[in-house]
Amino acid sequence: MNIFVAFVLAIISSMLMDNVVLSRFYGICPFLGVSRKVNSSLGMGVAVVFVIMLATLICWPFYTYILVPAGIPFMDTVAYILVIASLVQLTGLFIKKYSPSLYKSLGIYLPLITTNCAVLGVAQGNTDQGLSFLDSIANGLGTSIGFLLIIVTFSCIRTRLETANTPKAFKGLPIALITAAIMAIALVGLQGLFSGIKL
Amino acid sequence: MKREKGYTKKNFLKGIINENPLFVSILGTCPALATTKTLEAAIGMGILFTVVLICSSALVSLLRKVISEEIRTPAYIVIIATFVTIVKMFTNAFLPDLYSTLGVFISLIVVNCIVLGRAEAYASKNNVFDSFIDALGMGVGYTLALLSMAFFREFLGTGAFAFGNIFTFIPLVKVQIIPKEYVMSIFQNPAGAFIVFGLILAVLAFIKNRKEEYKAYLARQEKIRKAEEAKKAALATAANKEEGGNK
Amino acid sequence: MSKDLTLVIAIVILTALVAIFFISFVAYRKTPMPKGCENLKMDQEKCASCSNESCMFHKKEESEDNK
Protein backbone atom coordinates (compact mmCIF):
# COMPACT_ATOMS: atom_id res chain seq x y z
CA MET A 1 0.00 0.00 0.00
CA ASN A 2 1.61 3.22 -1.05
CA ILE A 3 1.76 6.45 0.91
CA PHE A 4 -0.78 8.25 -1.22
CA VAL A 5 -3.57 5.75 -0.55
CA ALA A 6 -2.75 5.76 3.16
CA PHE A 7 -2.93 9.56 3.09
CA VAL A 8 -6.36 9.54 1.42
CA LEU A 9 -7.66 6.87 3.79
CA ALA A 10 -6.44 8.89 6.78
CA ILE A 11 -8.27 11.95 5.46
CA ILE A 12 -11.50 10.04 4.94
CA SER A 13 -11.34 8.34 8.31
CA SER A 14 -10.80 11.57 10.23
CA MET A 15 -13.49 13.21 8.10
CA LEU A 16 -16.30 10.68 8.51
CA MET A 17 -15.63 7.89 10.97
CA ASP A 18 -14.02 10.10 13.57
CA ASN A 19 -15.90 13.26 12.71
CA VAL A 20 -14.83 16.39 14.59
CA VAL A 21 -18.22 17.50 15.73
CA LEU A 22 -20.17 14.30 16.08
CA SER A 23 -17.65 11.98 17.63
CA ARG A 24 -14.73 14.08 18.87
CA PHE A 25 -16.92 16.96 20.09
CA TYR A 26 -14.71 19.81 18.90
CA GLY A 27 -16.41 23.00 17.82
CA ILE A 28 -19.89 22.37 19.19
CA CYS A 29 -20.39 26.09 19.86
CA PRO A 30 -20.23 27.22 16.21
CA PHE A 31 -22.00 23.99 15.25
CA LEU A 32 -25.01 25.04 17.30
CA GLY A 33 -24.64 28.81 17.03
CA VAL A 34 -23.82 29.50 13.39
CA SER A 35 -25.93 26.82 11.75
CA ARG A 36 -29.16 28.73 11.33
CA LYS A 37 -28.56 29.64 7.71
CA VAL A 38 -26.81 27.66 5.02
CA ASN A 39 -24.83 30.67 3.80
CA SER A 40 -23.38 31.55 7.18
CA SER A 41 -22.49 27.96 7.98
CA LEU A 42 -20.74 27.67 4.62
CA GLY A 43 -18.71 30.82 5.35
CA MET A 44 -17.82 29.58 8.81
CA GLY A 45 -16.84 26.16 7.47
CA VAL A 46 -14.56 27.54 4.77
CA ALA A 47 -12.89 29.91 7.26
CA VAL A 48 -12.31 26.97 9.62
CA VAL A 49 -10.76 24.86 6.83
CA PHE A 50 -8.38 27.69 6.01
CA VAL A 51 -7.30 28.37 9.59
CA ILE A 52 -6.95 24.70 10.55
CA MET A 53 -4.74 24.00 7.56
CA LEU A 54 -2.49 27.00 8.26
CA ALA A 55 -2.35 26.19 11.96
CA THR A 56 -1.40 22.56 11.30
CA LEU A 57 1.31 23.62 8.85
CA ILE A 58 2.84 26.00 11.40
CA CYS A 59 2.27 24.29 14.75
CA TRP A 60 3.69 20.85 13.99
CA PRO A 61 7.13 22.06 12.80
CA PHE A 62 7.17 24.62 15.60
CA TYR A 63 6.69 21.90 18.20
CA THR A 64 9.02 19.36 16.65
CA TYR A 65 11.92 21.57 15.63
CA ILE A 66 11.83 24.34 18.22
CA LEU A 67 10.01 23.41 21.43
CA VAL A 68 11.25 19.81 21.76
CA PRO A 69 14.95 20.49 21.07
CA ALA A 70 14.79 23.41 23.49
CA GLY A 71 13.44 21.11 26.19
CA ILE A 72 10.20 23.02 26.76
CA PRO A 73 7.52 20.81 25.13
CA PHE A 74 5.12 21.79 27.92
CA MET A 75 4.78 25.25 26.39
CA ASP A 76 2.83 23.75 23.48
CA THR A 77 -0.64 24.98 24.45
CA VAL A 78 0.53 28.56 24.93
CA ALA A 79 2.47 28.49 21.66
CA TYR A 80 -0.47 27.02 19.72
CA ILE A 81 -3.04 29.47 20.99
CA LEU A 82 -0.65 32.33 20.19
CA VAL A 83 -0.04 30.99 16.69
CA ILE A 84 -3.75 30.43 16.04
CA ALA A 85 -4.89 33.77 17.41
CA SER A 86 -2.19 35.68 15.54
CA LEU A 87 -3.03 33.78 12.36
CA VAL A 88 -6.68 34.65 12.70
CA GLN A 89 -5.94 38.31 13.37
CA LEU A 90 -3.39 38.60 10.54
CA THR A 91 -5.66 36.87 8.04
CA GLY A 92 -8.52 39.09 9.12
CA LEU A 93 -6.33 42.18 8.79
CA PHE A 94 -5.19 41.17 5.32
CA ILE A 95 -8.69 40.44 4.08
CA LYS A 96 -10.07 43.59 5.66
CA LYS A 97 -7.51 45.75 3.90
CA TYR A 98 -7.23 44.19 0.46
CA SER A 99 -10.35 42.23 -0.30
CA PRO A 100 -13.63 43.73 0.89
CA SER A 101 -15.65 41.18 -1.07
CA LEU A 102 -13.92 38.27 0.65
CA TYR A 103 -14.29 40.06 3.96
CA LYS A 104 -17.98 40.33 3.34
CA SER A 105 -18.39 36.59 2.97
CA LEU A 106 -15.66 35.20 5.25
CA GLY A 107 -14.29 38.00 7.38
CA ILE A 108 -17.05 38.11 9.91
CA TYR A 109 -16.46 34.49 10.89
CA LEU A 110 -12.74 34.85 11.47
CA PRO A 111 -12.81 36.33 14.99
CA LEU A 112 -15.09 33.49 16.07
CA ILE A 113 -12.45 30.95 15.12
CA THR A 114 -9.99 31.94 17.85
CA THR A 115 -12.34 30.41 20.38
CA ASN A 116 -13.22 27.43 18.20
CA CYS A 117 -12.07 24.24 19.90
CA ALA A 118 -11.55 22.47 16.58
CA VAL A 119 -8.45 24.45 15.61
CA LEU A 120 -6.62 24.14 18.91
CA GLY A 121 -7.90 20.58 19.27
CA VAL A 122 -6.39 19.50 15.97
CA ALA A 123 -3.06 21.24 16.59
CA GLN A 124 -2.82 19.80 20.10
CA GLY A 125 -4.04 16.36 19.09
CA ASN A 126 -1.47 16.07 16.31
CA THR A 127 1.46 16.49 18.64
CA ASP A 128 -0.11 14.71 21.64
CA GLN A 129 -0.65 11.57 19.58
CA GLY A 130 2.82 11.88 18.07
CA LEU A 131 1.62 11.89 14.46
CA SER A 132 4.09 12.40 11.63
CA PHE A 133 3.95 15.58 9.56
CA LEU A 134 2.11 13.89 6.70
CA ASP A 135 -0.40 12.31 9.10
CA SER A 136 -0.89 15.70 10.76
CA ILE A 137 -1.73 17.27 7.41
CA ALA A 138 -4.13 14.42 6.67
CA ASN A 139 -5.71 14.84 10.08
CA GLY A 140 -6.03 18.60 9.63
CA LEU A 141 -7.49 18.29 6.15
CA GLY A 142 -9.90 15.51 7.12
CA THR A 143 -11.01 17.23 10.29
CA SER A 144 -11.64 20.60 8.68
CA ILE A 145 -13.45 19.18 5.65
CA GLY A 146 -15.48 17.01 8.01
CA PHE A 147 -16.43 20.13 9.95
CA LEU A 148 -17.48 21.92 6.77
CA LEU A 149 -19.50 18.93 5.63
CA ILE A 150 -21.32 18.43 8.90
CA ILE A 151 -22.06 22.09 9.61
CA VAL A 152 -23.52 22.64 6.12
CA THR A 153 -25.60 19.44 6.30
CA PHE A 154 -26.80 20.37 9.74
CA SER A 155 -27.80 23.89 8.69
CA CYS A 156 -29.83 22.43 5.80
CA ILE A 157 -31.67 20.21 8.28
CA ARG A 158 -32.19 23.11 10.68
CA THR A 159 -33.81 25.34 8.08
CA ARG A 160 -36.35 22.56 7.59
CA LEU A 161 -36.73 22.12 11.35
CA GLU A 162 -37.70 25.78 11.76
CA THR A 163 -40.95 25.15 9.95
CA ALA A 164 -41.55 21.67 11.37
CA ASN A 165 -44.17 21.11 13.99
CA THR A 166 -42.10 20.29 17.07
CA PRO A 167 -43.32 20.22 20.67
CA LYS A 168 -42.99 23.61 22.30
CA ALA A 169 -40.36 22.52 24.81
CA PHE A 170 -38.18 21.09 22.03
CA LYS A 171 -38.19 24.22 19.87
CA GLY A 172 -34.75 25.55 19.01
CA LEU A 173 -31.73 23.87 20.55
CA PRO A 174 -33.16 20.66 22.06
CA ILE A 175 -34.51 19.35 18.75
CA ALA A 176 -31.26 20.40 17.06
CA LEU A 177 -29.30 18.35 19.57
CA ILE A 178 -31.52 15.30 19.06
CA THR A 179 -31.01 15.71 15.30
CA ALA A 180 -27.26 15.82 15.88
CA ALA A 181 -27.55 12.60 17.88
CA ILE A 182 -29.27 10.86 14.96
CA MET A 183 -26.55 12.14 12.61
CA ALA A 184 -23.93 10.75 15.01
CA ILE A 185 -25.65 7.36 14.97
CA ALA A 186 -25.62 7.44 11.17
CA LEU A 187 -21.87 8.06 11.14
CA VAL A 188 -21.29 5.18 13.56
CA GLY A 189 -22.56 2.97 10.77
CA LEU A 190 -19.44 3.78 8.76
CA GLN A 191 -17.13 2.46 11.48
CA GLY A 192 -14.91 -0.34 10.30
CA LEU A 193 -15.22 0.61 6.65
CA PHE A 194 -11.47 0.29 6.13
CA SER A 195 -10.92 -2.64 8.47
CA GLY A 196 -10.42 -5.04 5.54
CA ILE A 197 -7.73 -2.89 3.96
CA LYS A 198 -4.20 -3.73 5.03
CA LEU A 199 -1.89 -0.77 5.20
CA MET B 1 -19.10 51.65 46.54
CA LYS B 2 -22.33 50.79 48.26
CA ARG B 3 -23.14 47.13 48.53
CA GLU B 4 -26.54 45.71 49.04
CA LYS B 5 -26.92 43.10 51.70
CA GLY B 6 -26.40 39.49 50.69
CA TYR B 7 -24.67 40.49 47.46
CA THR B 8 -21.95 37.89 47.90
CA LYS B 9 -24.45 35.09 48.33
CA LYS B 10 -26.44 36.22 45.31
CA ASN B 11 -23.25 36.58 43.32
CA PHE B 12 -22.29 33.01 44.17
CA LEU B 13 -25.71 31.49 43.53
CA LYS B 14 -26.32 33.17 40.19
CA GLY B 15 -23.62 31.03 38.56
CA ILE B 16 -25.32 27.88 39.80
CA ILE B 17 -28.95 28.58 38.97
CA ASN B 18 -29.98 31.72 37.10
CA GLU B 19 -26.92 32.08 34.90
CA ASN B 20 -25.71 28.50 34.80
CA PRO B 21 -23.03 28.58 32.09
CA LEU B 22 -23.95 25.26 30.52
CA PHE B 23 -27.72 24.97 30.78
CA VAL B 24 -28.78 28.61 30.58
CA SER B 25 -26.05 30.33 28.58
CA ILE B 26 -25.17 27.19 26.53
CA LEU B 27 -21.44 27.86 26.80
CA GLY B 28 -18.62 25.35 27.13
CA THR B 29 -20.55 22.63 25.37
CA CYS B 30 -17.53 20.80 23.94
CA PRO B 31 -16.13 19.44 27.23
CA ALA B 32 -19.67 18.98 28.50
CA LEU B 33 -20.37 16.44 25.79
CA ALA B 34 -16.92 14.88 25.63
CA THR B 35 -16.00 14.36 29.27
CA THR B 36 -19.30 13.24 30.75
CA LYS B 37 -18.98 9.56 29.97
CA THR B 38 -18.40 8.78 33.63
CA LEU B 39 -19.04 10.70 36.83
CA GLU B 40 -15.36 10.62 37.71
CA ALA B 41 -14.22 12.23 34.48
CA ALA B 42 -16.91 14.88 34.90
CA ILE B 43 -15.75 15.66 38.45
CA GLY B 44 -12.15 15.87 37.26
CA MET B 45 -13.01 18.16 34.37
CA GLY B 46 -15.17 20.33 36.63
CA ILE B 47 -12.43 20.73 39.21
CA LEU B 48 -9.71 21.57 36.68
CA PHE B 49 -12.04 24.01 34.97
CA THR B 50 -12.95 25.69 38.26
CA VAL B 51 -9.30 26.04 39.25
CA VAL B 52 -8.41 27.69 35.94
CA LEU B 53 -11.46 29.94 36.09
CA ILE B 54 -10.76 31.09 39.66
CA CYS B 55 -7.05 31.72 39.08
CA SER B 56 -7.53 33.60 35.83
CA SER B 57 -10.45 35.65 37.18
CA ALA B 58 -8.48 36.63 40.26
CA LEU B 59 -5.40 37.61 38.27
CA VAL B 60 -7.41 39.52 35.66
CA SER B 61 -9.21 41.38 38.40
CA LEU B 62 -5.91 42.14 40.13
CA LEU B 63 -4.46 43.53 36.91
CA ARG B 64 -7.61 45.31 35.75
CA LYS B 65 -6.04 48.74 36.19
CA VAL B 66 -2.73 47.76 34.59
CA ILE B 67 -4.03 46.23 31.36
CA SER B 68 -5.20 48.91 28.98
CA GLU B 69 -8.50 48.63 27.17
CA GLU B 70 -6.91 48.09 23.74
CA ILE B 71 -4.97 44.93 24.49
CA ARG B 72 -7.39 43.36 26.93
CA THR B 73 -8.44 40.27 25.01
CA PRO B 74 -4.95 39.12 23.97
CA ALA B 75 -3.65 39.71 27.48
CA TYR B 76 -6.47 37.60 28.92
CA ILE B 77 -5.83 34.82 26.44
CA VAL B 78 -2.16 34.72 27.46
CA ILE B 79 -3.09 34.68 31.17
CA ILE B 80 -5.61 31.87 30.70
CA ALA B 81 -3.20 29.83 28.57
CA THR B 82 -0.54 30.15 31.27
CA PHE B 83 -2.86 28.86 33.98
CA VAL B 84 -4.04 26.00 31.77
CA THR B 85 -0.44 24.97 31.21
CA ILE B 86 0.22 25.01 34.96
CA VAL B 87 -2.91 22.96 35.68
CA LYS B 88 -2.04 20.55 32.89
CA MET B 89 1.43 19.94 34.28
CA PHE B 90 0.06 19.36 37.79
CA THR B 91 -2.53 16.90 36.46
CA ASN B 92 0.09 15.08 34.45
CA ALA B 93 2.29 14.78 37.53
CA PHE B 94 -0.23 13.84 40.20
CA LEU B 95 -3.28 12.38 38.40
CA PRO B 96 -1.91 10.70 35.25
CA ASP B 97 -5.09 8.65 34.77
CA LEU B 98 -7.22 11.76 34.73
CA TYR B 99 -4.74 13.36 32.34
CA SER B 100 -4.96 10.50 29.87
CA THR B 101 -8.77 10.29 30.18
CA LEU B 102 -9.41 13.97 29.50
CA GLY B 103 -6.59 14.23 26.95
CA VAL B 104 -6.84 17.23 24.68
CA PHE B 105 -9.77 18.65 26.62
CA ILE B 106 -7.53 19.95 29.38
CA SER B 107 -5.75 22.13 26.82
CA LEU B 108 -9.09 23.11 25.33
CA ILE B 109 -10.02 24.96 28.55
CA VAL B 110 -8.04 27.82 26.95
CA VAL B 111 -10.66 28.32 24.27
CA ASN B 112 -13.60 27.68 26.56
CA CYS B 113 -15.91 30.68 26.14
CA ILE B 114 -16.81 30.74 29.83
CA VAL B 115 -13.33 31.56 31.09
CA LEU B 116 -12.70 34.38 28.62
CA GLY B 117 -16.30 35.54 28.99
CA ARG B 118 -16.12 35.83 32.79
CA ALA B 119 -12.77 37.58 32.55
CA GLU B 120 -14.14 40.18 30.16
CA ALA B 121 -17.64 40.59 31.51
CA TYR B 122 -17.02 40.43 35.23
CA ALA B 123 -13.43 40.25 36.45
CA SER B 124 -12.27 43.23 34.40
CA LYS B 125 -14.78 45.47 36.17
CA ASN B 126 -14.93 44.19 39.75
CA ASN B 127 -12.61 43.73 42.69
CA VAL B 128 -10.69 40.57 43.47
CA PHE B 129 -13.05 39.18 46.09
CA ASP B 130 -16.17 39.61 43.97
CA SER B 131 -14.43 38.11 40.95
CA PHE B 132 -13.31 35.18 43.06
CA ILE B 133 -16.86 34.53 44.28
CA ASP B 134 -18.24 34.93 40.77
CA ALA B 135 -15.67 32.50 39.35
CA LEU B 136 -16.33 30.04 42.16
CA GLY B 137 -20.07 30.16 41.54
CA MET B 138 -19.65 29.72 37.79
CA GLY B 139 -17.18 26.87 38.30
CA VAL B 140 -19.43 25.05 40.77
CA GLY B 141 -22.43 25.61 38.50
CA TYR B 142 -20.57 24.18 35.54
CA THR B 143 -19.34 21.22 37.57
CA LEU B 144 -22.86 20.45 38.78
CA ALA B 145 -24.16 20.67 35.22
CA LEU B 146 -21.45 18.25 34.05
CA LEU B 147 -22.28 15.91 36.92
CA SER B 148 -25.97 15.86 36.10
CA MET B 149 -25.18 14.90 32.51
CA ALA B 150 -22.63 12.30 33.56
CA PHE B 151 -25.11 10.83 36.06
CA PHE B 152 -27.62 9.97 33.33
CA ARG B 153 -24.99 8.84 30.87
CA GLU B 154 -23.20 6.54 33.27
CA PHE B 155 -26.37 5.21 34.88
CA LEU B 156 -28.20 4.45 31.63
CA GLY B 157 -25.11 3.47 29.65
CA THR B 158 -23.45 1.07 32.07
CA GLY B 159 -26.12 0.53 34.67
CA ALA B 160 -23.53 1.06 37.37
CA PHE B 161 -21.62 3.73 39.24
CA ALA B 162 -17.91 3.11 39.44
CA PHE B 163 -15.36 5.09 41.43
CA GLY B 164 -11.66 4.59 41.70
CA ASN B 165 -10.85 4.07 38.02
CA ILE B 166 -9.50 7.57 37.49
CA PHE B 167 -8.91 8.85 41.01
CA THR B 168 -6.73 5.89 41.86
CA PHE B 169 -6.06 7.06 45.41
CA ILE B 170 -9.51 5.89 46.50
CA PRO B 171 -10.34 2.17 46.47
CA LEU B 172 -12.25 0.82 43.48
CA VAL B 173 -15.98 0.69 44.14
CA LYS B 174 -18.55 -0.44 41.61
CA VAL B 175 -22.28 -0.62 42.27
CA GLN B 176 -24.26 -2.39 39.57
CA ILE B 177 -27.87 -1.21 39.67
CA ILE B 178 -29.32 -2.26 36.31
CA PRO B 179 -28.36 -5.79 35.22
CA LYS B 180 -25.80 -5.77 32.43
CA GLU B 181 -28.17 -7.33 29.90
CA TYR B 182 -30.54 -4.38 30.08
CA VAL B 183 -28.22 -1.38 29.78
CA MET B 184 -28.45 1.01 26.83
CA SER B 185 -24.87 1.37 25.74
CA ILE B 186 -25.79 4.14 23.29
CA PHE B 187 -25.57 6.55 26.19
CA GLN B 188 -21.86 5.83 26.42
CA ASN B 189 -21.47 6.68 22.73
CA PRO B 190 -21.22 10.22 21.33
CA ALA B 191 -24.85 10.05 20.20
CA GLY B 192 -25.96 9.49 23.79
CA ALA B 193 -24.25 12.70 24.87
CA PHE B 194 -26.27 14.71 22.36
CA ILE B 195 -29.50 12.96 23.38
CA VAL B 196 -28.96 13.55 27.10
CA PHE B 197 -28.01 17.20 26.59
CA GLY B 198 -31.00 17.77 24.30
CA LEU B 199 -33.41 16.14 26.69
CA ILE B 200 -32.11 18.09 29.69
CA LEU B 201 -32.48 21.35 27.76
CA ALA B 202 -35.98 20.31 26.70
CA VAL B 203 -36.99 19.56 30.29
CA LEU B 204 -35.63 22.94 31.42
CA ALA B 205 -37.50 24.68 28.60
CA PHE B 206 -40.64 22.79 29.59
CA ILE B 207 -40.35 23.95 33.20
CA LYS B 208 -39.71 27.51 32.05
CA ASN B 209 -42.73 27.43 29.73
CA ARG B 210 -44.89 26.05 32.53
CA LYS B 211 -43.79 28.84 34.86
CA GLU B 212 -44.54 31.47 32.25
CA GLU B 213 -47.93 29.93 31.53
CA TYR B 214 -48.73 29.86 35.22
CA LYS B 215 -47.73 33.51 35.54
CA ALA B 216 -49.90 34.43 32.57
CA TYR B 217 -52.74 32.43 34.09
CA LEU B 218 -52.39 34.26 37.41
CA ALA B 219 -52.31 37.60 35.62
CA ARG B 220 -55.45 36.67 33.70
CA GLN B 221 -57.23 35.56 36.88
CA GLU B 222 -56.26 38.82 38.54
CA LYS B 223 -57.62 40.78 35.59
CA ILE B 224 -60.92 38.91 35.68
CA ARG B 225 -61.19 39.40 39.43
CA LYS B 226 -60.54 43.12 39.09
CA ALA B 227 -63.06 43.44 36.28
CA GLU B 228 -65.67 41.67 38.37
CA GLU B 229 -64.93 43.87 41.35
CA ALA B 230 -65.26 46.96 39.19
CA LYS B 231 -68.56 45.63 37.86
CA LYS B 232 -69.81 44.95 41.38
CA ALA B 233 -68.77 48.40 42.51
CA ALA B 234 -70.48 49.95 39.55
CA LEU B 235 -73.62 47.96 40.26
CA ALA B 236 -73.50 48.92 43.91
CA THR B 237 -73.15 52.60 43.14
CA ALA B 238 -75.97 52.33 40.61
CA ALA B 239 -78.12 50.59 43.23
CA ASN B 240 -77.24 53.25 45.77
CA LYS B 241 -78.22 55.91 43.33
CA GLU B 242 -81.49 54.16 42.63
CA GLU B 243 -82.09 53.78 46.33
CA GLY B 244 -81.28 57.42 46.79
CA GLY B 245 -83.65 58.26 43.91
CA ASN B 246 -86.41 56.13 45.43
CA LYS B 247 -86.09 57.89 48.71
CA MET C 1 23.64 23.41 18.28
CA SER C 2 23.82 23.40 22.06
CA LYS C 3 20.70 23.04 24.13
CA ASP C 4 21.05 26.42 25.78
CA LEU C 5 21.15 28.15 22.44
CA THR C 6 17.98 26.40 21.24
CA LEU C 7 16.27 27.32 24.50
CA VAL C 8 17.19 30.96 23.99
CA ILE C 9 15.95 30.82 20.40
CA ALA C 10 12.68 29.20 21.51
CA ILE C 11 12.10 31.83 24.16
CA VAL C 12 12.87 34.62 21.68
CA ILE C 13 10.40 33.13 19.19
CA LEU C 14 7.72 32.75 21.85
CA THR C 15 8.17 36.36 22.92
CA ALA C 16 8.03 37.41 19.29
CA LEU C 17 4.77 35.45 18.95
CA VAL C 18 3.28 37.28 21.91
CA ALA C 19 4.34 40.60 20.37
CA ILE C 20 2.91 39.64 16.96
CA PHE C 21 -0.33 38.60 18.62
CA PHE C 22 -0.73 41.89 20.48
CA ILE C 23 0.27 44.04 17.52
CA SER C 24 -1.96 42.17 15.07
CA PHE C 25 -4.87 42.41 17.47
CA VAL C 26 -4.54 46.17 17.83
CA ALA C 27 -3.91 46.61 14.10
CA TYR C 28 -6.98 44.54 13.27
CA ARG C 29 -9.12 46.72 15.48
CA LYS C 30 -7.73 49.91 14.01
CA THR C 31 -8.19 48.92 10.38
CA PRO C 32 -11.36 50.58 9.18
CA MET C 33 -14.22 48.46 7.96
CA PRO C 34 -14.24 48.09 4.19
CA LYS C 35 -17.11 49.74 2.37
CA GLY C 36 -20.36 47.84 2.36
CA CYS C 37 -19.44 45.77 5.37
CA GLU C 38 -20.54 48.16 8.06
CA ASN C 39 -23.77 46.42 8.81
CA LEU C 40 -22.84 42.76 8.56
CA LYS C 41 -24.94 40.86 11.00
CA MET C 42 -25.78 37.41 12.02
CA ASP C 43 -28.70 36.26 14.11
CA GLN C 44 -27.74 37.27 17.58
CA GLU C 45 -30.22 35.37 19.61
CA LYS C 46 -27.58 32.85 20.54
CA CYS C 47 -24.78 35.33 20.93
CA ALA C 48 -26.45 37.63 23.40
CA SER C 49 -25.67 35.32 26.27
CA CYS C 50 -22.03 34.91 25.33
CA SER C 51 -19.87 37.62 26.75
CA ASN C 52 -16.85 37.12 24.56
CA GLU C 53 -16.16 40.72 23.68
CA SER C 54 -13.49 39.92 21.14
CA CYS C 55 -16.18 38.31 19.05
CA MET C 56 -17.61 40.58 16.39
CA PHE C 57 -21.16 39.66 17.10
CA HIS C 58 -21.02 40.79 20.63
CA LYS C 59 -23.53 43.58 20.88
CA LYS C 60 -21.26 46.13 22.51
CA GLU C 61 -18.60 45.74 19.87
CA GLU C 62 -21.09 46.16 17.09
CA SER C 63 -22.32 49.48 18.37
CA GLU C 64 -18.72 50.64 18.43
CA ASP C 65 -18.14 49.49 14.90
CA ASN C 66 -21.22 51.22 13.64
CA LYS C 67 -20.08 54.62 14.84
Side-chain angles (χ1 to χ4, degrees):
Chain A
M1 188 65 63
N2 58 26
I3 296 173
F4 179 73
V5 177
F7 184 70
V8 172
L9 288 188
I11 290 178
I12 294 175
S13 96
S14 64
M15 187 165 94
L16 293 174
M17 276 75 116
D18 202 15
N19 187 277
V20 244
V21 180
L22 296 177
S23 90
R24 275 186 278 172
F25 300 118
Y26 300 161
I28 305 279
C29 288
F31 177 66
L32 295 174
V34 198
S35 61
R36 288 274 173 84
K37 289 185 186 117
V38 181
N39 276 342
S40 51
S41 66
L42 198 63
M44 181 76 192
V46 172
V48 166
V49 172
F50 181 72
V51 174
I52 284 188
M53 278 326 289
L54 270 182
T56 312
L57 288 177
I58 295 173
C59 288
W60 194 90
F62 189 71
Y63 179 81
T64 317
Y65 297 117
I66 293 173
L67 290 182
V68 173
I72 47 168
F74 56 84
M75 287 299 281
D76 51 356
T77 310
V78 178
Y80 295 159
I81 190 71
L82 285 173
V83 167
I84 292 164
S86 318
L87 260 181
V88 168
Q89 298 294 342
L90 287 176
T91 318
L93 187 69
F94 192 77
I95 292 179
K96 217 173 181 180
K97 222 167 187 176
Y98 298 110
S99 173
S101 60
L102 199 61
Y103 185 79
K104 212 170 182 176
S105 52
L106 285 189
I108 53 170
Y109 304 107
L110 278 172
L112 280 176
I113 294 175
T114 313
T115 50
N116 186 337
C117 310
V119 187
L120 185 62
V122 168
Q124 185 82 51
N126 283 341
T127 49
D128 277 3
Q129 294 163 20
L131 296 181
S132 70
F133 192 47
L134 202 64
D135 282 342
S136 300
I137 294 176
N139 186 21
L141 209 58
T143 306
S144 50
I145 295 174
F147 183 82
L148 176 67
L149 189 80
I150 288 298
I151 198 171
V152 172
T153 319
F154 191 61
S155 67
C156 294
I157 299 176
R158 271 190 96 174
T159 45
R160 306 262 321 237
L161 274 180
E162 301 261 301
T163 55
N165 185 17
T166 45
K168 201 181 166 194
F170 276 90
K171 282 233 157 69
L173 269 188
I175 193 73
L177 282 163
I178 305 286
T179 314
I182 297 171
M183 285 169 81
I185 296 173
L187 285 184
V188 170
L190 291 175
Q191 221 108 54
L193 191 65
F194 298 149
S195 58
I197 301 172
K198 280 189 193 115
L199 290 176
Chain B
M1 204 171 75
K2 220 179 164 190
R3 297 169 64 93
E4 57 177 305
K5 221 176 156 192
Y7 177 76
T8 306
K9 197 181 161 194
K10 220 194 233 169
N11 194 11
F12 176 70
L13 284 180
K14 77 164 194 271
I16 299 178
I17 302 163
N18 284 338
E19 290 176 32
N20 189 301
L22 183 58
F23 289 150
V24 180
S25 311
I26 325 281
L27 295 174
T29 37
C30 308
L33 293 172
T35 63
T36 51
K37 218 171 179 177
T38 59
L39 275 173
E40 274 190 310
I43 294 174
M45 185 68 206
I47 291 173
L48 297 187
F49 174 81
T50 311
V51 170
V52 172
L53 184 57
I54 289 175
C55 293
S56 56
S57 272
L59 189 62
V60 162
S61 163
L62 207 63
L63 296 176
R64 70 185 185 280
K65 280 169 191 148
V66 183
I67 301 171
S68 77
E69 182 78 27
E70 293 246 290
I71 54 159
R72 248 173 39 181
T73 310
Y76 295 167
I77 289 178
V78 173
I79 289 174
I80 294 166
T82 314
F83 279 118
V84 168
T85 306
I86 294 171
V87 165
K88 202 169 112 178
M89 289 169 79
F90 268 107
T91 321
N92 198 359
F94 295 110
L95 293 165
D97 292 300
L98 183 65
Y99 183 78
S100 58
T101 311
L102 297 180
V104 180
F105 284 91
I106 302 180
S107 310
L108 288 186
I109 299 177
V110 181
V111 287
N112 196 314
C113 306
I114 306 169
V115 187
L116 193 59
R118 285 336 281 174
E120 290 194 333
Y122 198 92
S124 62
K125 290 162 197 144
N126 291 281
N127 64 30
V128 178
F129 179 72
D130 281 352
S131 309
F132 174 80
I133 295 293
D134 174 76
L136 189 66
M138 287 287 162
V140 172
Y142 190 65
T143 310
L144 288 178
L146 288 185
L147 282 180
S148 60
M149 275 188 67
F151 175 81
F152 289 116
R153 281 188 73 189
E154 189 173 9
F155 180 63
L156 295 173
T158 63
F161 291 113
F163 293 97
N165 282 326
I166 296 173
F167 296 115
T168 38
F169 52 84
I170 55 172
L172 188 67
V173 183
K174 196 175 179 192
V175 191
Q176 190 83 30
I177 298 167
I178 307 174
K180 265 197 179 138
E181 297 82 39
Y182 300 104
V183 299
M184 293 173 271
S185 59
I186 189 172
F187 285 103
Q188 287 281 293
N189 291 341
F194 283 106
I195 293 178
V196 169
F197 192 35
L199 288 181
I200 289 179
L201 285 185
V203 168
L204 290 178
F206 180 75
I207 294 171
K208 203 178 148 205
N209 287 345
R210 265 294 160 90
K211 266 187 186 161
E212 271 167 16
E213 273 168 24
Y214 186 63
K215 254 185 204 165
Y217 169 77
L218 281 185
R220 222 165 38 234
Q221 283 310 74
E222 183 74 1
K223 221 176 173 182
I224 292 171
R225 206 170 55 82
K226 268 188 183 163
E228 269 177 6
E229 264 178 17
K231 227 185 205 171
K232 261 184 196 167
L235 277 178
T237 48
N240 276 344
K241 261 185 193 170
E242 266 179 27
E243 268 177 28
N246 286 346
K247 269 178 191 175
Chain C
M1 216 176 347
S2 71
K3 204 173 175 182
D4 290 340
L5 190 63
T6 44
L7 183 62
V8 170
I9 293 174
I11 290 171
V12 167
I13 292 180
L14 275 178
T15 325
L17 265 180
V18 175
I20 291 174
F21 179 32
F22 277 68
I23 293 168
S24 64
F25 189 87
V26 174
Y28 181 77
R29 279 203 147 183
K30 288 204 170 148
T31 312
M33 280 271 171
K35 270 181 192 171
C37 298
E38 287 86 358
N39 290 315
L40 287 178
K41 264 184 203 160
M42 207 180 51
D43 24 27
Q44 287 185 334
E45 205 183 322
K46 256 288 27 269
C47 298
S49 58
C50 170
S51 39
N52 178 4
E53 283 179 19
S54 62
C55 163
M56 262 197 84
F57 306 111
H58 194 264
K59 280 183 177 159
K60 219 178 183 180
E61 180 117 344
E62 247 195 17
S63 60
E64 277 172 16
D65 285 339
N66 286 345
K67 261 175 202 174

